[in-house]
Amino acid sequence: MAGPHRGITLLPTAKNGLQAVEIATEHTVDILLSDIRMPGLSGMEVAQFVRDRYPGAEILFLSEYEEFDYAKKAISLHPNNYILKPAMPQDVLRAVGAAKDKILQRRREEDAKRQMEMELQNLSKVASATQKLTDEPGIPTEEDITQVVSYIRKHYQEPLNLAALAEEFHFNPVYLSRLIKKKSGHTFTELLTSIRMYHAARLLRDTVLKNGEICTQIGMGDERYFSQVFLRTYGGSPQQYRKQHRQENPLPELNGEDDFEN
């Protein structure tokens, strides 16, 4: 709803159980507030339909005192709350608000789990790239390349390029580029870009920084190019990603530590 309804979108009110099922068919239902007894279909039958269609939905039953024993028969539906009638508006709002908070908490936990899985996949790719490197006399070793990758992860905000990287580690830039590509399957640019996109995604999700500010944060100066690269990486624009992953309370901005390694 918007405004006074605490961020919850209200669906049309059903006059009977059959109409409630029709509404639940046409709209996604996160919270069902239903009488136990209704014409057409009972509240329990409607709740069963909603729970089957939307397993994560919160079920709130309105019932009169004399219906309480009947309401307890719905225990197999695992209703989240019973509200005895006559109910004060604040009681209903409190119950709905608690259901909303529970849903948001569950979604935050699911988002955090997905983000952790994505971070682990990113780290796994980098680890796999470095593990393919072998010790060969007269050329950079696996340890050398691991240090190169670590340096990129720590200095991604700087205007890095292959020539500067090769100079930093005293390698021939052309040879270093070919070696990284041959041994890991990833170019220097691919590694740097993936790390920058990772941090861009975190900033979009956890801060309110604008695209231009995020470009500066991740070491990319061209906002249009950043948007194009982000689209190729995540399959959507920065605005679409932020809208999909925005949390109710954004986390503080990064404190400068190398969160990508954590």
Side-chain angles (χ1 to χ4, degrees), residues 58-94:
E58 297 286 301
I59 306 296
L60 309 179
F61 279 137
L62 285 164
S63 64
E64 296 179 357
Y65 183 78
E66 58 268 22
E67 295 176 332
F68 196 70
D69 287 338
Y70 177 75
K72 288 192 293 185
K73 296 179 181 179
I75 195 65
S76 61
L77 296 172
H78 302 290
N80 303 98
N81 204 345
Y82 291 106
I83 305 171
L84 291 178
K85 296 190 296 185
M88 299 296 290
Q90 58 266 33
D91 295 331
V92 176
L93 288 176
R94 188 180 301 111

PDB file of all heavy atoms in Angstrom, residues 58-94:
ATOM      1  N   GLU A  58       1.441 -14.730   3.453  1.00  0.00           N
ATOM      2  CA  GLU A  58       1.056 -14.684   4.863  1.00  0.00           C
ATOM      3  C   GLU A  58      -0.480 -14.739   4.950  1.00  0.00           C
ATOM      4  O   GLU A  58      -1.176 -13.988   4.261  1.00  0.00           O
ATOM      5  CB  GLU A  58       1.567 -13.400   5.509  1.00  0.00           C
ATOM      6  CG  GLU A  58       3.076 -13.269   5.531  1.00  0.00           C
ATOM      7  CD  GLU A  58       3.712 -14.190   6.555  1.00  0.00           C
ATOM      8  OE1 GLU A  58       3.386 -14.062   7.753  1.00  0.00           O
ATOM      9  OE2 GLU A  58       4.533 -15.044   6.153  1.00  0.00           O
ATOM     10  N   ILE A  59      -1.000 -15.614   5.789  1.00  0.00           N
ATOM     11  CA  ILE A  59      -2.442 -15.822   5.917  1.00  0.00           C
ATOM     12  C   ILE A  59      -2.925 -15.244   7.240  1.00  0.00           C
ATOM     13  O   ILE A  59      -2.459 -15.642   8.310  1.00  0.00           O
ATOM     14  CB  ILE A  59      -2.813 -17.318   5.849  1.00  0.00           C
ATOM     15  CG1 ILE A  59      -2.237 -17.949   4.568  1.00  0.00           C
ATOM     16  CG2 ILE A  59      -4.317 -17.493   5.928  1.00  0.00           C
ATOM     17  CD1 ILE A  59      -2.788 -17.391   3.287  1.00  0.00           C
ATOM     18  N   LEU A  60      -3.871 -14.289   7.177  1.00  0.00           N
ATOM     19  CA  LEU A  60      -4.465 -13.693   8.370  1.00  0.00           C
ATOM     20  C   LEU A  60      -5.969 -13.972   8.339  1.00  0.00           C
ATOM     21  O   LEU A  60      -6.645 -13.602   7.376  1.00  0.00           O
ATOM     22  CB  LEU A  60      -4.223 -12.176   8.403  1.00  0.00           C
ATOM     23  CG  LEU A  60      -2.778 -11.688   8.196  1.00  0.00           C
ATOM     24  CD1 LEU A  60      -2.736 -10.164   8.228  1.00  0.00           C
ATOM     25  CD2 LEU A  60      -1.855 -12.269   9.258  1.00  0.00           C
ATOM     26  N   PHE A  61      -6.483 -14.626   9.378  1.00  0.00           N
ATOM     27  CA  PHE A  61      -7.902 -14.962   9.439  1.00  0.00           C
ATOM     28  C   PHE A  61      -8.639 -14.027  10.394  1.00  0.00           C
ATOM     29  O   PHE A  61      -8.164 -13.748  11.504  1.00  0.00           O
ATOM     30  CB  PHE A  61      -8.098 -16.399   9.925  1.00  0.00           C
ATOM     31  CG  PHE A  61      -7.921 -17.437   8.857  1.00  0.00           C
ATOM     32  CD1 PHE A  61      -7.208 -18.609   9.119  1.00  0.00           C
ATOM     33  CD2 PHE A  61      -8.466 -17.264   7.590  1.00  0.00           C
ATOM     34  CE1 PHE A  61      -7.051 -19.574   8.142  1.00  0.00           C
ATOM     35  CE2 PHE A  61      -8.310 -18.220   6.612  1.00  0.00           C
ATOM     36  CZ  PHE A  61      -7.593 -19.376   6.884  1.00  0.00           C
ATOM     37  N   LEU A  62      -9.786 -13.547   9.954  1.00  0.00           N
ATOM     38  CA  LEU A  62     -10.718 -12.823  10.817  1.00  0.00           C
ATOM     39  C   LEU A  62     -11.788 -13.815  11.277  1.00  0.00           C
ATOM     40  O   LEU A  62     -12.380 -14.512  10.450  1.00  0.00           O
ATOM     41  CB  LEU A  62     -11.376 -11.672  10.059  1.00  0.00           C
ATOM     42  CG  LEU A  62     -10.522 -10.427   9.785  1.00  0.00           C
ATOM     43  CD1 LEU A  62     -11.166  -9.562   8.719  1.00  0.00           C
ATOM     44  CD2 LEU A  62     -10.352  -9.636  11.077  1.00  0.00           C
ATOM     45  N   SER A  63     -12.037 -13.900  12.569  1.00  0.00           N
ATOM     46  CA  SER A  63     -13.043 -14.850  13.049  1.00  0.00           C
ATOM     47  C   SER A  63     -13.703 -14.319  14.315  1.00  0.00           C
ATOM     48  O   SER A  63     -13.092 -13.562  15.085  1.00  0.00           O
ATOM     49  CB  SER A  63     -12.405 -16.219  13.331  1.00  0.00           C
ATOM     50  OG  SER A  63     -11.464 -16.120  14.386  1.00  0.00           O
ATOM     51  N   GLU A  64     -14.951 -14.706  14.512  1.00  0.00           N
ATOM     52  CA  GLU A  64     -15.636 -14.364  15.746  1.00  0.00           C
ATOM     53  C   GLU A  64     -15.282 -15.394  16.813  1.00  0.00           C
ATOM     54  O   GLU A  64     -14.821 -16.506  16.502  1.00  0.00           O
ATOM     55  CB  GLU A  64     -17.142 -14.333  15.510  1.00  0.00           C
ATOM     56  CG  GLU A  64     -17.551 -13.242  14.516  1.00  0.00           C
ATOM     57  CD  GLU A  64     -19.043 -13.229  14.250  1.00  0.00           C
ATOM     58  OE1 GLU A  64     -19.732 -14.117  14.798  1.00  0.00           O
ATOM     59  OE2 GLU A  64     -19.499 -12.347  13.508  1.00  0.00           O
ATOM     60  N   TYR A  65     -15.528 -15.048  18.061  1.00  0.00           N
ATOM     61  CA  TYR A  65     -15.111 -15.922  19.155  1.00  0.00           C
ATOM     62  C   TYR A  65     -15.685 -17.321  19.025  1.00  0.00           C
ATOM     63  O   TYR A  65     -15.006 -18.319  19.220  1.00  0.00           O
ATOM     64  CB  TYR A  65     -15.517 -15.311  20.501  1.00  0.00           C
ATOM     65  CG  TYR A  65     -15.047 -16.117  21.677  1.00  0.00           C
ATOM     66  CD1 TYR A  65     -13.719 -16.051  22.089  1.00  0.00           C
ATOM     67  CD2 TYR A  65     -15.919 -16.953  22.368  1.00  0.00           C
ATOM     68  CE1 TYR A  65     -13.272 -16.798  23.164  1.00  0.00           C
ATOM     69  CE2 TYR A  65     -15.488 -17.704  23.446  1.00  0.00           C
ATOM     70  CZ  TYR A  65     -14.158 -17.624  23.844  1.00  0.00           C
ATOM     71  OH  TYR A  65     -13.717 -18.368  24.897  1.00  0.00           O
ATOM     72  N   GLU A  66     -16.980 -17.393  18.651  1.00  0.00           N
ATOM     73  CA  GLU A  66     -17.624 -18.703  18.562  1.00  0.00           C
ATOM     74  C   GLU A  66     -17.112 -19.527  17.381  1.00  0.00           C
ATOM     75  O   GLU A  66     -17.389 -20.717  17.277  1.00  0.00           O
ATOM     76  CB  GLU A  66     -19.148 -18.552  18.467  1.00  0.00           C
ATOM     77  CG  GLU A  66     -19.620 -17.711  17.291  1.00  0.00           C
ATOM     78  CD  GLU A  66     -19.778 -16.243  17.681  1.00  0.00           C
ATOM     79  OE1 GLU A  66     -19.140 -15.824  18.682  1.00  0.00           O
ATOM     80  OE2 GLU A  66     -20.540 -15.544  17.003  1.00  0.00           O
ATOM     81  N   GLU A  67     -16.383 -18.898  16.459  1.00  0.00           N
ATOM     82  CA  GLU A  67     -15.819 -19.613  15.311  1.00  0.00           C
ATOM     83  C   GLU A  67     -14.409 -20.113  15.591  1.00  0.00           C
ATOM     84  O   GLU A  67     -13.791 -20.749  14.753  1.00  0.00           O
ATOM     85  CB  GLU A  67     -15.757 -18.691  14.086  1.00  0.00           C
ATOM     86  CG  GLU A  67     -17.098 -18.248  13.559  1.00  0.00           C
ATOM     87  CD  GLU A  67     -16.951 -17.271  12.404  1.00  0.00           C
ATOM     88  OE1 GLU A  67     -15.929 -16.563  12.358  1.00  0.00           O
ATOM     89  OE2 GLU A  67     -17.844 -17.245  11.542  1.00  0.00           O
ATOM     90  N   PHE A  68     -13.908 -19.838  16.803  1.00  0.00           N
ATOM     91  CA  PHE A  68     -12.490 -20.094  17.047  1.00  0.00           C
ATOM     92  C   PHE A  68     -12.139 -21.567  16.926  1.00  0.00           C
ATOM     93  O   PHE A  68     -11.116 -21.925  16.349  1.00  0.00           O
ATOM     94  CB  PHE A  68     -12.091 -19.557  18.417  1.00  0.00           C
ATOM     95  CG  PHE A  68     -10.602 -19.428  18.595  1.00  0.00           C
ATOM     96  CD1 PHE A  68      -9.898 -18.456  17.902  1.00  0.00           C
ATOM     97  CD2 PHE A  68      -9.914 -20.284  19.435  1.00  0.00           C
ATOM     98  CE1 PHE A  68      -8.526 -18.337  18.049  1.00  0.00           C
ATOM     99  CE2 PHE A  68      -8.543 -20.177  19.588  1.00  0.00           C
ATOM    100  CZ  PHE A  68      -7.851 -19.193  18.904  1.00  0.00           C
ATOM    101  N   ASP A  69     -13.000 -22.436  17.472  1.00  0.00           N
ATOM    102  CA  ASP A  69     -12.727 -23.874  17.346  1.00  0.00           C
ATOM    103  C   ASP A  69     -12.731 -24.296  15.892  1.00  0.00           C
ATOM    104  O   ASP A  69     -11.921 -25.114  15.455  1.00  0.00           O
ATOM    105  CB  ASP A  69     -13.766 -24.685  18.139  1.00  0.00           C
ATOM    106  CG  ASP A  69     -13.548 -24.569  19.632  1.00  0.00           C
ATOM    107  OD1 ASP A  69     -12.417 -24.234  20.031  1.00  0.00           O
ATOM    108  OD2 ASP A  69     -14.512 -24.804  20.385  1.00  0.00           O
ATOM    109  N   TYR A  70     -13.653 -23.729  15.116  1.00  0.00           N
ATOM    110  CA  TYR A  70     -13.702 -24.016  13.684  1.00  0.00           C
ATOM    111  C   TYR A  70     -12.426 -23.513  13.007  1.00  0.00           C
ATOM    112  O   TYR A  70     -11.870 -24.179  12.144  1.00  0.00           O
ATOM    113  CB  TYR A  70     -14.934 -23.330  13.098  1.00  0.00           C
ATOM    114  CG  TYR A  70     -15.085 -23.486  11.599  1.00  0.00           C
ATOM    115  CD1 TYR A  70     -15.507 -24.682  11.029  1.00  0.00           C
ATOM    116  CD2 TYR A  70     -14.811 -22.414  10.756  1.00  0.00           C
ATOM    117  CE1 TYR A  70     -15.657 -24.813   9.659  1.00  0.00           C
ATOM    118  CE2 TYR A  70     -14.950 -22.546   9.381  1.00  0.00           C
ATOM    119  CZ  TYR A  70     -15.369 -23.749   8.837  1.00  0.00           C
ATOM    120  OH  TYR A  70     -15.507 -23.876   7.485  1.00  0.00           O
ATOM    121  N   ALA A  71     -11.968 -22.344  13.424  1.00  0.00           N
ATOM    122  CA  ALA A  71     -10.766 -21.757  12.819  1.00  0.00           C
ATOM    123  C   ALA A  71      -9.547 -22.620  13.097  1.00  0.00           C
ATOM    124  O   ALA A  71      -8.644 -22.721  12.254  1.00  0.00           O
ATOM    125  CB  ALA A  71     -10.537 -20.348  13.362  1.00  0.00           C
ATOM    126  N   LYS A  72      -9.509 -23.264  14.266  1.00  0.00           N
ATOM    127  CA  LYS A  72      -8.347 -24.089  14.589  1.00  0.00           C
ATOM    128  C   LYS A  72      -8.196 -25.272  13.654  1.00  0.00           C
ATOM    129  O   LYS A  72      -7.130 -25.868  13.547  1.00  0.00           O
ATOM    130  CB  LYS A  72      -8.423 -24.540  16.044  1.00  0.00           C
ATOM    131  CG  LYS A  72      -8.162 -23.408  17.034  1.00  0.00           C
ATOM    132  CD  LYS A  72      -7.963 -23.916  18.446  1.00  0.00           C
ATOM    133  CE  LYS A  72      -9.245 -24.525  19.008  1.00  0.00           C
ATOM    134  NZ  LYS A  72      -9.086 -24.902  20.432  1.00  0.00           N
ATOM    135  N   LYS A  73      -9.279 -25.634  12.960  1.00  0.00           N
ATOM    136  CA  LYS A  73      -9.194 -26.730  12.004  1.00  0.00           C
ATOM    137  C   LYS A  73      -8.318 -26.359  10.803  1.00  0.00           C
ATOM    138  O   LYS A  73      -7.936 -27.226  10.023  1.00  0.00           O
ATOM    139  CB  LYS A  73     -10.593 -27.112  11.525  1.00  0.00           C
ATOM    140  CG  LYS A  73     -11.492 -27.659  12.626  1.00  0.00           C
ATOM    141  CD  LYS A  73     -12.876 -27.988  12.102  1.00  0.00           C
ATOM    142  CE  LYS A  73     -13.779 -28.510  13.215  1.00  0.00           C
ATOM    143  NZ  LYS A  73     -15.155 -28.805  12.712  1.00  0.00           N
ATOM    144  N   ALA A  74      -8.053 -25.084  10.661  1.00  0.00           N
ATOM    145  CA  ALA A  74      -7.223 -24.619   9.540  1.00  0.00           C
ATOM    146  C   ALA A  74      -5.743 -24.713   9.869  1.00  0.00           C
ATOM    147  O   ALA A  74      -4.906 -24.176   9.156  1.00  0.00           O
ATOM    148  CB  ALA A  74      -7.572 -23.170   9.199  1.00  0.00           C
ATOM    149  N   ILE A  75      -5.395 -25.400  10.948  1.00  0.00           N
ATOM    150  CA  ILE A  75      -3.995 -25.439  11.394  1.00  0.00           C
ATOM    151  C   ILE A  75      -3.068 -25.984  10.326  1.00  0.00           C
ATOM    152  O   ILE A  75      -1.896 -25.618  10.241  1.00  0.00           O
ATOM    153  CB  ILE A  75      -3.869 -26.275  12.689  1.00  0.00           C
ATOM    154  CG1 ILE A  75      -2.522 -26.021  13.350  1.00  0.00           C
ATOM    155  CG2 ILE A  75      -4.097 -27.743  12.402  1.00  0.00           C
ATOM    156  CD1 ILE A  75      -2.353 -24.604  13.846  1.00  0.00           C
ATOM    157  N   SER A  76      -3.585 -26.888   9.464  1.00  0.00           N
ATOM    158  CA  SER A  76      -2.743 -27.459   8.410  1.00  0.00           C
ATOM    159  C   SER A  76      -2.313 -26.403   7.399  1.00  0.00           C
ATOM    160  O   SER A  76      -1.345 -26.588   6.664  1.00  0.00           O
ATOM    161  CB  SER A  76      -3.483 -28.587   7.677  1.00  0.00           C
ATOM    162  OG  SER A  76      -4.657 -28.087   7.050  1.00  0.00           O
ATOM    163  N   LEU A  77      -3.036 -25.278   7.362  1.00  0.00           N
ATOM    164  CA  LEU A  77      -2.677 -24.187   6.455  1.00  0.00           C
ATOM    165  C   LEU A  77      -1.612 -23.282   7.063  1.00  0.00           C
ATOM    166  O   LEU A  77      -1.101 -22.398   6.399  1.00  0.00           O
ATOM    167  CB  LEU A  77      -3.921 -23.338   6.137  1.00  0.00           C
ATOM    168  CG  LEU A  77      -5.042 -24.046   5.370  1.00  0.00           C
ATOM    169  CD1 LEU A  77      -6.264 -23.145   5.306  1.00  0.00           C
ATOM    170  CD2 LEU A  77      -4.589 -24.409   3.970  1.00  0.00           C
ATOM    171  N   HIS A  78      -1.283 -23.516   8.339  1.00  0.00           N
ATOM    172  CA  HIS A  78      -0.301 -22.705   9.056  1.00  0.00           C
ATOM    173  C   HIS A  78      -0.622 -21.215   8.948  1.00  0.00           C
ATOM    174  O   HIS A  78       0.201 -20.421   8.477  1.00  0.00           O
ATOM    175  CB  HIS A  78       1.105 -22.971   8.522  1.00  0.00           C
ATOM    176  CG  HIS A  78       1.506 -24.406   8.613  1.00  0.00           C
ATOM    177  ND1 HIS A  78       1.757 -25.042   9.807  1.00  0.00           N
ATOM    178  CD2 HIS A  78       1.678 -25.343   7.639  1.00  0.00           C
ATOM    179  CE1 HIS A  78       2.082 -26.305   9.579  1.00  0.00           C
ATOM    180  NE2 HIS A  78       2.038 -26.520   8.270  1.00  0.00           N
ATOM    181  N   PRO A  79      -1.822 -20.790   9.357  1.00  0.00           N
ATOM    182  CA  PRO A  79      -2.144 -19.365   9.303  1.00  0.00           C
ATOM    183  C   PRO A  79      -1.182 -18.580  10.184  1.00  0.00           C
ATOM    184  O   PRO A  79      -0.712 -19.077  11.216  1.00  0.00           O
ATOM    185  CB  PRO A  79      -3.581 -19.304   9.830  1.00  0.00           C
ATOM    186  CG  PRO A  79      -3.726 -20.540  10.651  1.00  0.00           C
ATOM    187  CD  PRO A  79      -2.893 -21.584   9.985  1.00  0.00           C
ATOM    188  N   ASN A  80      -0.882 -17.352   9.792  1.00  0.00           N
ATOM    189  CA  ASN A  80       0.105 -16.564  10.507  1.00  0.00           C
ATOM    190  C   ASN A  80      -0.496 -15.766  11.653  1.00  0.00           C
ATOM    191  O   ASN A  80       0.222 -15.311  12.531  1.00  0.00           O
ATOM    192  CB  ASN A  80       0.807 -15.621   9.525  1.00  0.00           C
ATOM    193  CG  ASN A  80       1.450 -16.390   8.379  1.00  0.00           C
ATOM    194  OD1 ASN A  80       0.878 -16.485   7.306  1.00  0.00           O
ATOM    195  ND2 ASN A  80       2.612 -16.968   8.617  1.00  0.00           N
ATOM    196  N   ASN A  81      -1.837 -15.564  11.627  1.00  0.00           N
ATOM    197  CA  ASN A  81      -2.457 -14.822  12.720  1.00  0.00           C
ATOM    198  C   ASN A  81      -3.973 -15.001  12.670  1.00  0.00           C
ATOM    199  O   ASN A  81      -4.547 -15.207  11.602  1.00  0.00           O
ATOM    200  CB  ASN A  81      -2.118 -13.329  12.614  1.00  0.00           C
ATOM    201  CG  ASN A  81      -2.215 -12.637  13.959  1.00  0.00           C
ATOM    202  OD1 ASN A  81      -2.773 -13.164  14.912  1.00  0.00           O
ATOM    203  ND2 ASN A  81      -1.640 -11.437  14.032  1.00  0.00           N
ATOM    204  N   TYR A  82      -4.602 -14.953  13.842  1.00  0.00           N
ATOM    205  CA  TYR A  82      -6.056 -14.906  13.954  1.00  0.00           C
ATOM    206  C   TYR A  82      -6.419 -13.553  14.557  1.00  0.00           C
ATOM    207  O   TYR A  82      -5.816 -13.125  15.541  1.00  0.00           O
ATOM    208  CB  TYR A  82      -6.586 -16.006  14.879  1.00  0.00           C
ATOM    209  CG  TYR A  82      -6.446 -17.403  14.340  1.00  0.00           C
ATOM    210  CD1 TYR A  82      -5.487 -18.268  14.846  1.00  0.00           C
ATOM    211  CD2 TYR A  82      -7.283 -17.869  13.332  1.00  0.00           C
ATOM    212  CE1 TYR A  82      -5.348 -19.551  14.365  1.00  0.00           C
ATOM    213  CE2 TYR A  82      -7.162 -19.149  12.847  1.00  0.00           C
ATOM    214  CZ  TYR A  82      -6.194 -19.995  13.365  1.00  0.00           C
ATOM    215  OH  TYR A  82      -6.072 -21.258  12.881  1.00  0.00           O
ATOM    216  N   ILE A  83      -7.383 -12.878  13.975  1.00  0.00           N
ATOM    217  CA  ILE A  83      -7.844 -11.597  14.489  1.00  0.00           C
ATOM    218  C   ILE A  83      -9.307 -11.769  14.863  1.00  0.00           C
ATOM    219  O   ILE A  83     -10.154 -12.052  14.010  1.00  0.00           O
ATOM    220  CB  ILE A  83      -7.692 -10.482  13.445  1.00  0.00           C
ATOM    221  CG1 ILE A  83      -6.237 -10.417  12.953  1.00  0.00           C
ATOM    222  CG2 ILE A  83      -8.128  -9.146  14.015  1.00  0.00           C
ATOM    223  CD1 ILE A  83      -6.045  -9.493  11.768  1.00  0.00           C
ATOM    224  N   LEU A  84      -9.623 -11.637  16.148  1.00  0.00           N
ATOM    225  CA  LEU A  84     -10.992 -11.828  16.617  1.00  0.00           C
ATOM    226  C   LEU A  84     -11.841 -10.597  16.312  1.00  0.00           C
ATOM    227  O   LEU A  84     -11.396  -9.455  16.493  1.00  0.00           O
ATOM    228  CB  LEU A  84     -11.005 -12.095  18.126  1.00  0.00           C
ATOM    229  CG  LEU A  84     -10.409 -13.451  18.570  1.00  0.00           C
ATOM    230  CD1 LEU A  84     -10.448 -13.555  20.087  1.00  0.00           C
ATOM    231  CD2 LEU A  84     -11.189 -14.603  17.933  1.00  0.00           C
ATOM    232  N   LYS A  85     -13.048 -10.845  15.809  1.00  0.00           N
ATOM    233  CA  LYS A  85     -13.988  -9.760  15.531  1.00  0.00           C
ATOM    234  C   LYS A  85     -14.874  -9.539  16.751  1.00  0.00           C
ATOM    235  O   LYS A  85     -15.163 -10.498  17.495  1.00  0.00           O
ATOM    236  CB  LYS A  85     -14.830 -10.102  14.302  1.00  0.00           C
ATOM    237  CG  LYS A  85     -14.028 -10.215  13.024  1.00  0.00           C
ATOM    238  CD  LYS A  85     -14.916 -10.320  11.791  1.00  0.00           C
ATOM    239  CE  LYS A  85     -15.754 -11.583  11.798  1.00  0.00           C
ATOM    240  NZ  LYS A  85     -16.541 -11.735  10.537  1.00  0.00           N
ATOM    241  N   PRO A  86     -15.322  -8.306  16.982  1.00  0.00           N
ATOM    242  CA  PRO A  86     -15.020  -7.128  16.165  1.00  0.00           C
ATOM    243  C   PRO A  86     -13.594  -6.636  16.430  1.00  0.00           C
ATOM    244  O   PRO A  86     -13.176  -6.558  17.584  1.00  0.00           O
ATOM    245  CB  PRO A  86     -16.044  -6.093  16.629  1.00  0.00           C
ATOM    246  CG  PRO A  86     -16.347  -6.494  18.045  1.00  0.00           C
ATOM    247  CD  PRO A  86     -16.264  -7.994  18.083  1.00  0.00           C
ATOM    248  N   ALA A  87     -12.869  -6.344  15.362  1.00  0.00           N
ATOM    249  CA  ALA A  87     -11.474  -5.943  15.483  1.00  0.00           C
ATOM    250  C   ALA A  87     -11.340  -4.442  15.258  1.00  0.00           C
ATOM    251  O   ALA A  87     -11.982  -3.879  14.373  1.00  0.00           O
ATOM    252  CB  ALA A  87     -10.609  -6.689  14.469  1.00  0.00           C
ATOM    253  N   MET A  88     -10.501  -3.813  16.061  1.00  0.00           N
ATOM    254  CA  MET A  88     -10.224  -2.394  15.885  1.00  0.00           C
ATOM    255  C   MET A  88      -9.303  -2.222  14.673  1.00  0.00           C
ATOM    256  O   MET A  88      -8.459  -3.083  14.389  1.00  0.00           O
ATOM    257  CB  MET A  88      -9.546  -1.829  17.132  1.00  0.00           C
ATOM    258  CG  MET A  88     -10.389  -1.952  18.393  1.00  0.00           C
ATOM    259  SD  MET A  88     -11.898  -0.963  18.271  1.00  0.00           S
ATOM    260  CE  MET A  88     -11.189   0.687  18.348  1.00  0.00           C
ATOM    261  N   PRO A  89      -9.433  -1.120  13.933  1.00  0.00           N
ATOM    262  CA  PRO A  89      -8.576  -0.895  12.756  1.00  0.00           C
ATOM    263  C   PRO A  89      -7.097  -1.010  13.072  1.00  0.00           C
ATOM    264  O   PRO A  89      -6.325  -1.568  12.297  1.00  0.00           O
ATOM    265  CB  PRO A  89      -8.953   0.530  12.321  1.00  0.00           C
ATOM    266  CG  PRO A  89     -10.354   0.715  12.796  1.00  0.00           C
ATOM    267  CD  PRO A  89     -10.431  -0.036  14.095  1.00  0.00           C
ATOM    268  N   GLN A  90      -6.696  -0.497  14.234  1.00  0.00           N
ATOM    269  CA  GLN A  90      -5.272  -0.560  14.568  1.00  0.00           C
ATOM    270  C   GLN A  90      -4.797  -1.998  14.780  1.00  0.00           C
ATOM    271  O   GLN A  90      -3.629  -2.312  14.529  1.00  0.00           O
ATOM    272  CB  GLN A  90      -4.954   0.299  15.799  1.00  0.00           C
ATOM    273  CG  GLN A  90      -5.730  -0.071  17.059  1.00  0.00           C
ATOM    274  CD  GLN A  90      -6.983   0.761  17.216  1.00  0.00           C
ATOM    275  OE1 GLN A  90      -7.593   1.142  16.216  1.00  0.00           O
ATOM    276  NE2 GLN A  90      -7.355   1.068  18.459  1.00  0.00           N
ATOM    277  N   ASP A  91      -5.715  -2.875  15.237  1.00  0.00           N
ATOM    278  CA  ASP A  91      -5.349  -4.280  15.402  1.00  0.00           C
ATOM    279  C   ASP A  91      -5.085  -4.935  14.053  1.00  0.00           C
ATOM    280  O   ASP A  91      -4.133  -5.703  13.887  1.00  0.00           O
ATOM    281  CB  ASP A  91      -6.450  -5.036  16.143  1.00  0.00           C
ATOM    282  CG  ASP A  91      -6.629  -4.542  17.571  1.00  0.00           C
ATOM    283  OD1 ASP A  91      -5.632  -4.071  18.153  1.00  0.00           O
ATOM    284  OD2 ASP A  91      -7.748  -4.629  18.093  1.00  0.00           O
ATOM    285  N   VAL A  92      -5.954  -4.618  13.085  1.00  0.00           N
ATOM    286  CA  VAL A  92      -5.777  -5.169  11.739  1.00  0.00           C
ATOM    287  C   VAL A  92      -4.490  -4.637  11.111  1.00  0.00           C
ATOM    288  O   VAL A  92      -3.698  -5.386  10.541  1.00  0.00           O
ATOM    289  CB  VAL A  92      -6.993  -4.833  10.857  1.00  0.00           C
ATOM    290  CG1 VAL A  92      -6.758  -5.318   9.428  1.00  0.00           C
ATOM    291  CG2 VAL A  92      -8.252  -5.471  11.427  1.00  0.00           C
ATOM    292  N   LEU A  93      -4.295  -3.313  11.226  1.00  0.00           N
ATOM    293  CA  LEU A  93      -3.087  -2.704  10.647  1.00  0.00           C
ATOM    294  C   LEU A  93      -1.822  -3.272  11.293  1.00  0.00           C
ATOM    295  O   LEU A  93      -0.818  -3.486  10.623  1.00  0.00           O
ATOM    296  CB  LEU A  93      -3.133  -1.184  10.820  1.00  0.00           C
ATOM    297  CG  LEU A  93      -4.132  -0.431   9.937  1.00  0.00           C
ATOM    298  CD1 LEU A  93      -4.151   1.044  10.282  1.00  0.00           C
ATOM    299  CD2 LEU A  93      -3.778  -0.615   8.462  1.00  0.00           C
ATOM    300  N   ARG A  94      -1.903  -3.519  12.601  1.00  0.00           N
ATOM    301  CA  ARG A  94      -0.736  -4.067  13.296  1.00  0.00           C
ATOM    302  C   ARG A  94      -0.417  -5.470  12.782  1.00  0.00           C
ATOM    303  O   ARG A  94       0.743  -5.812  12.536  1.00  0.00           O
ATOM    304  CB  ARG A  94      -0.997  -4.104  14.800  1.00  0.00           C
ATOM    305  CG  ARG A  94       0.249  -4.476  15.614  1.00  0.00           C
ATOM    306  CD  ARG A  94      -0.051  -4.509  17.107  1.00  0.00           C
ATOM    307  NE  ARG A  94      -0.538  -3.217  17.578  1.00  0.00           N
ATOM    308  CZ  ARG A  94      -1.779  -2.979  17.987  1.00  0.00           C
ATOM    309  NH1 ARG A  94      -2.675  -3.949  17.983  1.00  0.00           N
ATOM    310  NH2 ARG A  94      -2.131  -1.784  18.405  1.00  0.00           N
TER     311      ARG A  94
END
